[in-house]
């Protein structure tokens, strides 16, 4: 196979130098603590920032007892949970963060204000690479931030601020276990730091080891059975009644143990009194995936003189994850009519077809080969080297650094099935195949248990894939005061940045050729792009209590050319107790290498074939009398070879598709508006309130054509012409819909800059320190209300929250509250998370009958305590999901009967830890 195309460099015009910004009136001096604030270059956070910011401190992280940072972020109402420890299908071993439901590729992840190296071709960061124990605080800005940080910040920024000036030694151990005595986890961590050279320098080193055991779906009642009816690909095998060459009777046939055929019983035994041929794939799958992670690194700084400080950051993470799926569902397997395993009864049955010489078509669950297992070894190495200091003029300071990152992402797959070996084995290893593979073993798939260990070993396929993502980045900036104005000092920041991203993906040869049954075929990717940027920020005090903030970033990409991002905002404090803030931001995101170069990767999205009158569960969709199809649809189905629409069954909820990118994709742009009020009343001590409206509109949103498989199918059937643009993509020279040999509908899905997404809502935050006795009760409440989520003119929210297979879970209301109180040396914390009710839309914004199934709201309660025994020793412990809430059951989710990212899947969980400092 020839090498895939590369994204090569192209230089555009000169970039205009931009001014903008926000900088504190006190510039950076080498001996001062570095100030990093997300969303701008000023020491404002939460209630002081012009942009709404949510901050999570290290004390809060410790109180939760959570050892993976994504678990902490997912409790924030602004975050739509992405891939987590309970993601098994789909899953790739990463943990992601997704602000406002725009997708993880549109949330920029930073460490100390600098980019964390991605782990995938999509440019998505794996949060497993964040050193959780070293985090001082997390700052979350929702809304476009490209003017400050560049591409990928359409939805906002998550910035992890690390402890970088530590003195002493800290050792910690934490363990946890579920109420069902599983999901056992352990973590050991170390923090070591100290000053040197008479206080001119400091070095901080950290290390941690973490291990988590898996939990099977069989171990929970709500995941042990697939409540959607399982899979039509069962253990006995099934002779498919192919619509394009059908049998006289409109039924499929399963196989008895002796290989004779019988009518396929389209029921799941676990839901039908033990009777049925469908397969329950759930119990073999994982509910909680295992992980082993090792992290080491350090931060250092040294004052060379009064104007120059050298600093460095090092991060090495080796994260090993695993997933497990039910044995391979082999489908569309061709049966050679000369197979020695075909009984006379099957031969006679196949002879009744219009074309009796055509191969038969088999599907079978390959239980004898074993469960499909995937392990991922992700290794991140990232280094930052920089110089910063005081210029000595009007509080001006500078910061310049070089950053190199490399992520090696190796995925190993076990117990898949080779299609070519399987078909050759069924054929009895014909002579022409023996010349190619003399080790061929005849394979008998007709009937449960007929595949011997020797047969299984022959058809078993183990393979590996490799992804390498590398980044070089150089950044230089200056900031400080400009001049005095009647209302205060104008301040600025100005800088340049160059970044080059390179990525290669090398799938196994069998995966490239599609000679695999249990996983999707994928093609190699190799490419790179670079970008040069000039950025600036400016803060101008207009009158007393009113200041303006401006910012712009001009970028020149080797792929999409010149791109400009900018922002403008006002900060008004008419009194000392109230402040109004408003911001407009134009952000941009260049296509990732994956989006530019994807070349026909296989997928199986949920979709409905309009030519299938019977669902995978056996339900009749179209009735010729009570619910007839239009004659146009019937004729269009016949043009595709489907003559008997009413009796044509769709075997699975998912249809095979092939996904394509394009180097011609342009950048995405977003417009974000935020406006809010911050109130700190004088008559209530230690009370701070904020209320912010936000609205994000993304134009030229890179998305599947027509939203994906179902949209392409619907558009093509509406056109009812296979040669029309709705059914054929002339740029790719590919049909958008076509049929497999068994008559199953298949779809080619190209990426396009054709979508528009708009989402809006309101956030409320309260922090209140209430004096009680000698201590203070600290109360924090964050509430988010989702007003709309409009994709291509369809409001999925439509006055309420929703779950959609292609988008995820977005409740109308989400709330997180935390109450902490100290009793002597013991700090007690109660945390409550509320997830509002939603409508279950499946893969459509509305069902054909206009009805929805409601998903009930969920509330989780956690309790924890931290006991400072003395200045050297500390004990901690607690329980999460105190009342052992089970997740709500969805009616159309393929894997875990619910959304495993949104809800707690494990149940009540206990944790305890000990920490010593000296």
């Amino acid at each position: 196979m020839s090498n895939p195309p590369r994204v090569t460099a192209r230089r555009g015009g000169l970039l205009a130098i931009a001014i903008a910004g926000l900088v504190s009136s006190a510039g950076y001096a080498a001996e001062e603590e570095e100030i990093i604030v997300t969303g701008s270059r000023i020491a404002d956070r939460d209630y002081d920032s012009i942009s709404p910011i949510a901050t999570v401190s290290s004390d809060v992280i410790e109180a939760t007892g959570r050892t993976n940072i994504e678990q902490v972020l997912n409790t924030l109402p602004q975050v739509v949970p992405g891939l987590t420890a309970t993601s098994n299908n789909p899953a790739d071993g990463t943990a992601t963060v997704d602000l406002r439901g725009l997708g993880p590729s549109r949330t920029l992840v930073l460490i100390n204000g600098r980019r964390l190296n991605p782990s995938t071709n999509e440019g998505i960061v794996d949060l497993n690479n964040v050193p959780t124990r070293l985090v001082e605080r997390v700052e979350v800005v929702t809304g476009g931030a490209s003017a400050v940080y560049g591409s990928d910040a359409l939805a906002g920024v998550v910035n992890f601020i690390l402890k970088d000036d530590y003195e002493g030694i800290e050792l910690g151990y934490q363990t946890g276990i579920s109420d069902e005595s599983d999901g056992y986890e352990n973590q050991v961590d170390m923090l070591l730091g100290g000053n040197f050279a008479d206080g001119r320098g400091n070095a901080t080193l950290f290390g941690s080891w973490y291990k988590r055991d898996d939990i099977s779906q069989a171990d929970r009642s709500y995941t042990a059975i697939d409540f959607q009816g399982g899979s039509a690909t069962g253990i006995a095998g099934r002779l498919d009644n192919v619509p394009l060459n059908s049998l006289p009777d409109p039924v499929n046939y399963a196989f008895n143990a002796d290989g004779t055929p019988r009518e396929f019983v389209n029921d799941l035994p676990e839901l039908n009194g033990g009777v049925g041929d469908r397969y329950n794939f759930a119990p073999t799958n994982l509910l909680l995936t295992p992980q082993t992670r090792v992290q080491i690194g350090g931060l250092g700084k040294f004052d060379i003189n009064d104007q120059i400080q050298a600093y460095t950051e090092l991060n090495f993470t080796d994260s090993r994850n695993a997933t497990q799926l039910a044995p391979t569902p082999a489908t569309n397997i061709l049966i050679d009519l000369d197979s020695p395993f075909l009984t006379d009864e099957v031969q006679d049955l196949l002879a009744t077809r219009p074309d009796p010489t055509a191969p038969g078509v088999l599907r079978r669950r390959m239980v004898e080969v074993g469960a499909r297992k995937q392990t991922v070894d992700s290794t991140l190495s990232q280094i930052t080297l920089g110089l910063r200091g005081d210029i000595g003029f009007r509080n001006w300071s500078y910061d310049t650094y070089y950053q190199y990152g490399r992520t090696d992402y190796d995925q190993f797959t076990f117990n898949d099935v080779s299609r070519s070996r399987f078909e050759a084995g069924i054929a009895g290893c014909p002579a022409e195949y023996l010349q190619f593979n003399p080790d061929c073993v005849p394979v008998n798939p007709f009937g449960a248990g007929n595949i011997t260990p020797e047969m299984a070993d022959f058809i078993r396929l183990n393979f590996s894939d490799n992804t390498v993502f590398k980044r070089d980045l150089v950044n230089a900036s200056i900031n400080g005061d400009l001049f005095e104005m009647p209302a205060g000092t104008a301040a600025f920041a100005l800088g340049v940045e160059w970044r080059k991203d390179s990525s290669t993906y090398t799938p196994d040869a069998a995966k490239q050729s599609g000679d695999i049954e249990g996983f999707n075929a994928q093609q190699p990717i190799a490419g790179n792009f670079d970008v040069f940027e000039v950025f600036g920020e400016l803060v101008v005090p207009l009158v007393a209590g009113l200041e303006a903030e401006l910012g712009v970033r001009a970028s020149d990409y080797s792929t999409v050319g010149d791109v400009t991002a900018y922002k403008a905002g006002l900060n008004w404090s008419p009194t000392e107790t109230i402040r109004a803030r408003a911001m407009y931001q134009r952000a941009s995101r260049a296509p990732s290498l994956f989006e530019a170069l994807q070349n026909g990767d296989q997928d199986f999205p949920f979709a409905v074939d309009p030519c299938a009158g019977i669902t995978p569960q056996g339900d009749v969709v179209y009735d010729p009398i009570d619910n007839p199809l239009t004659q146009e649809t019937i004729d269009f189905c016949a043009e595709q070879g489907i003559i008997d629409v009413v009796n044509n069954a769709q075997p699975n909820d998912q249809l095979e598709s092939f996904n394509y990118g394009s180097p011609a994709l342009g950048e995405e742009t977003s417009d974000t508006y935020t406006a809010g009020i911050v109130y700190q009343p004088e008559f209530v001590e230690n009370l701070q309130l904020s209320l912010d409206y936000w609205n994000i509109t993304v134009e030229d949103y890179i998305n599947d054509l027509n939203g994906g498989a179902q949209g392409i199918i619907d558009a093509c059937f509406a056109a009812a012409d296979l040669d029309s643009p709705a059914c054929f993509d002339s740029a790719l020279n590919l049909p958008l819909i076509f049929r497999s040999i068994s008559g199953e509908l298949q779809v080619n899905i190209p990426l396009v800059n054709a979508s528009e997404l708009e989402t809006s809502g309101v956030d409320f935050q309260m922090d209140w320190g209430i004096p009680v006795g000698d201590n203070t009760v600290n109360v924090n409440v964050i509430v988010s209300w989702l007003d709309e989520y409009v994709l291509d003119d369809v409001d999925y929210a439509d006055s309420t929250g929703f779950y959609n297979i292609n988008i995820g879970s977005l409740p109308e209301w989400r709330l997180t509250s935390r109450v902490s109180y100290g009793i002597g040396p013991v700090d007690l914390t109660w945390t409550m998370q509320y997830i509002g009710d939603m409508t279950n839309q499946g893969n459509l914004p509305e069902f054909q009958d206009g009805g929805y199934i409601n998903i009930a709201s969920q509330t989780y309660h956690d309790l924890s305590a931290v006991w400072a025994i003395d200045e050297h020793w500390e004990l901690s412990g607690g329980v999460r999901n105190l009342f052992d809430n089970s997740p709500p059951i969805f009616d159309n989710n393929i894997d875990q009967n619910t959304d495993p990212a949104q809800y707690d899947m494990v149940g009540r969980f206990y944790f305890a830890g000990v920490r010593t400092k000296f």
Side-chain angles (χ1 to χ4, degrees):
M1 175 175 287
S2 61
N3 292 328
R6 297 174 61 88
V7 178
T8 56
R10 179 183 58 79
R11 273 283 151 244
L14 293 177
L15 297 175
I17 293 181
I19 302 176
L22 191 56
V23 178
S24 63
S25 57
Y28 173 81
E31 69 274 7
E32 295 176 344
E33 178 185 357
E34 180 182 5
I35 296 174
I36 301 173
V37 177
T38 311
S40 184
R41 303 173 186 274
I42 191 171
D44 286 346
R45 290 193 299 273
D46 292 43
Y47 296 99
D48 297 321
S49 171
I50 194 170
S51 295
I53 297 180
T55 301
V56 181
S57 68
S58 58
D59 292 339
V60 172
I61 297 173
E62 181 180 8
T64 67
R66 299 184 185 275
T67 50
N68 281 17
I69 200 68
E70 87 276 2
Q71 298 172 331
V72 178
L73 293 176
N74 286 343
T75 64
L76 294 176
Q78 299 92 335
V79 175
V80 176
L83 295 179
T84 69
T86 53
S87 300
N88 184 66
N89 183 26
D92 59 9
T94 65
T96 62
V97 60
D98 177 6
L99 293 176
R100 305 298 190 196
L102 270 64
S105 64
R106 297 173 182 89
T107 297
L108 183 60
V109 178
L110 309 171
I111 289 184
N112 289 341
R114 293 177 281 271
R115 291 172 179 259
L116 180 59
N117 203 64
S119 293
T120 69
N121 282 311
E122 294 93 329
I124 296 174
V125 166
D126 182 5
L127 296 181
N128 287 310
N129 294 323
V130 176
T132 304
R133 189 60 208 174
L134 198 62
V135 172
E136 178 66 32
R137 66 182 184 273
V138 186
E139 296 176 348
V140 179
V141 177
T142 55
S146 290
V148 180
Y149 297 108
S151 185
D152 306 331
L154 268 68
V157 173
V158 177
N159 190 11
F160 298 94
I161 310 300
L162 304 184
K163 303 170 184 176
D164 66 345
D165 198 11
Y166 188 79
E167 291 187 73
I169 300 175
E170 178 179 316
L171 300 174
Y173 169 71
Q174 181 171 306
T175 186
I177 193 169
S178 80
D179 198 46
E180 301 291 332
S181 299
D182 54 17
Y184 190 57
E185 66 177 18
N186 287 282
Q187 176 164 295
V188 179
D189 59 78
M190 178 201 71
L191 187 58
L192 170 65
N195 295 327
F196 59 91
D198 296 325
R200 294 170 58 193
N202 178 273
T204 301
L205 305 176
F206 69 90
S208 71
W209 172 85
Y210 170 76
K211 188 177 188 300
R212 179 181 66 231
D213 291 346
D214 61 63
I215 299 177
S216 169
Q217 288 187 203
D219 295 328
R220 298 294 186 272
S221 60
Y222 42 84
T223 55
I225 299 174
D226 175 56
F227 294 130
Q228 285 72 56
S231 169
T233 307
I235 63 175
R238 191 181 91 173
L239 179 65
D240 283 348
N241 194 345
V242 178
L244 303 182
N245 191 23
S246 61
L247 297 168
D249 296 325
V251 297
N252 298 296
Y253 292 88
F255 297 97
N256 296 310
D258 61 0
T260 57
R262 58 175 173 80
E263 186 172 333
F264 180 85
V265 180
N266 196 35
D267 288 301
L268 186 66
E270 289 84 349
L271 300 176
N272 191 44
V275 178
D277 286 312
R278 297 184 71 85
Y279 177 75
N280 180 28
F281 51 75
T284 309
N285 292 2
L286 294 182
L287 180 146
L288 180 69
T289 59
Q291 182 184 31
T292 301
R293 182 180 64 224
V294 175
Q295 291 180 302
I296 56 175
L299 301 93
K301 55 187 178 181
F302 179 72
D303 294 339
I304 298 175
N305 54 41
D306 292 340
Q307 284 75 42
I308 303 175
Q309 183 186 80
Y311 66 93
T312 185
E313 296 175 8
L314 306 172
N315 185 0
F316 173 83
T317 302
D318 184 83
S319 178
R320 305 194 176 204
N321 303 266
T323 61
Q324 179 172 296
L325 300 177
T328 296
T331 60
N332 288 320
I333 299 298
L334 300 184
I335 306 173
D336 191 309
L337 298 185
D338 293 328
S339 170
F341 303 108
L342 283 180
T343 63
D344 293 340
E345 292 85 351
V346 176
Q347 292 277 17
D348 293 341
L349 190 60
L350 292 172
T352 62
R353 298 171 299 162
D355 181 4
T357 64
V361 178
L362 172 76
R363 66 176 60 239
R364 192 184 191 279
R365 184 68 57 166
M366 310 302 292
V367 292
E368 296 90 344
V369 179
R372 288 170 289 166
K373 298 182 179 182
Q374 285 190 314
T375 61
V376 173
D377 184 358
S378 176
T379 303
L380 167 76
S381 302
Q382 184 162 316
I383 181 171
T384 301
L385 301 172
L387 296 173
R388 60 194 175 196
D390 186 1
I391 295 176
F393 173 76
R394 299 186 61 87
N395 292 321
W396 285 25
S397 62
Y398 67 91
D399 186 1
T400 180
Y401 63 90
Y402 166 73
Q403 186 178 69
Y404 173 77
R406 173 176 174 139
T407 306
D408 289 86
Y409 182 87
D410 298 308
Q411 188 172 56
F412 304 91
T413 302
F414 306 93
N415 297 336
D416 200 7
V417 170
S418 164
R419 172 185 290 272
S420 60
R421 295 182 204 167
F422 192 24
E423 291 182 346
I426 295 173
C429 298
E432 59 270 21
Y433 186 82
L434 285 173
Q435 294 178 356
F436 168 73
N437 188 346
D439 297 324
C440 180
V441 176
V443 179
N444 178 14
F446 306 114
N450 285 340
I451 296 180
T452 66
E454 184 184 16
M455 298 175 184
D457 288 342
F458 171 65
I459 60 178
R460 178 179 289 110
L461 182 64
N462 300 330
F463 56 89
S464 62
D465 310 321
N466 169 258
T467 299
V468 178
F469 194 107
K470 294 186 291 185
R471 170 173 289 166
D472 291 274
L473 188 152
V474 178
N475 182 289
S477 63
I478 59 173
N479 63 73
D481 297 340
L482 283 177
F483 45 79
E484 294 296 325
M485 300 181 65
T489 303
F492 84 103
L494 187 66
V496 296
E497 180 173 296
W498 174 82
R499 184 175 79 253
K500 181 178 180 180
D501 287 355
S502 304
S503 182
T504 59
Y505 169 62
T506 309
D508 184 272
K511 198 170 187 179
Q512 293 184 44
S513 66
D515 189 25
I516 54 177
E517 279 295 316
F519 292 93
N520 298 336
Q522 290 185 297
Q523 302 306 314
I525 289 176
N528 64 78
F529 72 84
D530 64 90
V531 55
F532 176 75
E533 301 178 298
V534 178
F535 59 90
E537 297 178 80
L538 179 69
V539 60
V540 179
L542 302 176
V543 296
L546 177 64
E547 64 181 19
E549 177 182 329
L550 305 171
V552 67
R553 176 178 290 249
S555 308
D556 183 13
Y557 285 88
S558 62
T559 51
V560 298
D562 293 338
V563 175
T564 303
Y566 44 87
K567 66 176 182 176
L570 290 174
N571 208 0
W572 181 41
S573 301
T575 70
E576 293 183 357
T577 62
I578 192 167
R579 182 168 62 89
R581 57 190 181 187
M583 175 73 79
Y584 163 75
Q585 300 194 65
R586 163 60 65 95
S588 63
R589 185 182 79 90
S592 68
L593 290 166
F594 180 78
E595 290 167 329
L597 299 175
Q598 189 182 23
N599 188 30
D601 291 348
Q602 186 183 39
D603 197 10
F604 289 87
F606 288 92
V608 175
D609 181 359
C611 298
I614 303 174
T615 71
Q617 290 74 38
D619 300 324
V620 175
V621 178
Y622 303 117
D623 182 87
I625 298 176
D626 298 329
N627 188 23
L629 287 171
T630 65
Q631 187 60 49
E632 185 180 41
T633 298
I634 293 174
D635 293 343
F636 192 48
C637 292
E639 186 179 345
Q640 301 169 52
I642 308 300
I643 306 300
D644 186 0
V645 174
V646 174
N647 292 312
N648 179 39
Q650 181 177 330
N652 289 299
D653 288 318
Q654 297 167 279
L655 298 179
E656 186 176 19
S657 70
F658 300 90
N659 297 319
Y660 291 85
S662 171
L665 287 171
E667 74 276 9
E668 299 176 332
T669 59
S670 72
D671 294 304
T672 299
Y673 298 89
T674 58
I677 295 176
V678 178
Y679 182 47
Q680 297 171 291
E682 292 181 347
F683 55 86
V684 181
E685 185 179 1
N686 298 324
L687 174 63
Q688 301 182 98
L689 305 170
S690 68
L691 185 70
D692 291 280
Y693 168 79
W694 52 271
N695 182 293
I696 305 172
T697 301
V698 183
E699 296 179 343
D700 296 323
Y701 184 87
I702 298 174
N703 196 15
D704 295 335
L705 176 67
N706 295 330
Q710 192 64 60
I712 292 173
I713 293 169
D714 292 344
C716 181
F717 272 79
D721 181 359
L722 291 175
D723 295 324
S724 70
C727 300
F728 189 88
D729 189 305
S730 57
L732 295 174
N733 195 30
L734 287 173
L736 295 175
I737 72 165
F738 58 102
R739 299 272 169 182
S740 70
I741 188 173
S742 62
E744 292 182 45
L745 185 62
Q746 297 178 309
V747 189
N748 286 320
I749 306 176
L751 288 175
V752 292
N753 284 106
S755 290
E756 180 176 306
L757 172 64
E758 180 178 3
T759 182
S760 63
V762 175
D763 290 342
F764 169 79
Q765 183 169 343
M766 179 186 76
D767 281 279
W768 191 7
I770 308 170
V772 175
D774 295 332
N775 292 306
T776 301
V777 176
N778 294 303
V779 181
N780 170 263
V781 178
I782 304 177
V783 182
S784 185
W785 172 63
L786 177 67
D787 179 32
E788 61 180 349
Y789 190 96
V790 182
L791 178 61
D792 294 333
D793 298 323
V794 176
D795 188 356
Y796 288 75
D798 193 23
S799 77
T800 185
F802 69 94
Y803 167 78
N804 185 282
I805 289 173
N806 300 316
I807 299 172
S809 297
L810 282 87
E812 181 180 11
W813 291 96
R814 289 190 68 189
L815 178 150
T816 298
S817 65
R818 186 179 67 256
V819 179
S820 60
Y821 181 66
I823 303 176
V826 179
D827 289 330
L828 302 175
T829 301
W830 165 77
T831 304
M832 188 268 283
Q833 181 187 10
Y834 171 80
I835 302 170
D837 57 1
M838 294 179 284
T839 55
N840 188 353
Q841 299 174 1
N843 65 332
L844 300 171
E846 58 184 4
F847 289 147
Q848 291 179 343
D849 61 3
Y852 293 106
I853 297 176
N854 189 63
I855 302 168
S857 62
Q858 295 288 305
T859 304
Y860 298 106
H861 299 269
D862 303 339
L863 287 177
S864 65
V866 178
W867 176 25
I869 300 174
D870 56 32
E871 62 179 344
H872 298 295
W873 290 93
E874 176 184 280
L875 296 178
S876 61
V879 55
R880 297 197 294 268
N881 194 354
L882 179 65
F883 299 108
D884 200 24
N885 284 15
S886 298
I889 300 301
F890 292 15
D891 71 320
N892 55 357
N893 188 278
I894 184 173
D895 191 12
Q896 292 167 301
N897 297 319
T898 189
D899 183 352
Q902 183 70 258
Y903 302 103
D904 183 275
M905 300 297 295
V906 175
R908 186 183 293 118
F909 191 88
Y910 308 97
F911 63 91
V914 59
R915 189 162 300 280
T916 182
K917 305 174 184 178
F918 53 90

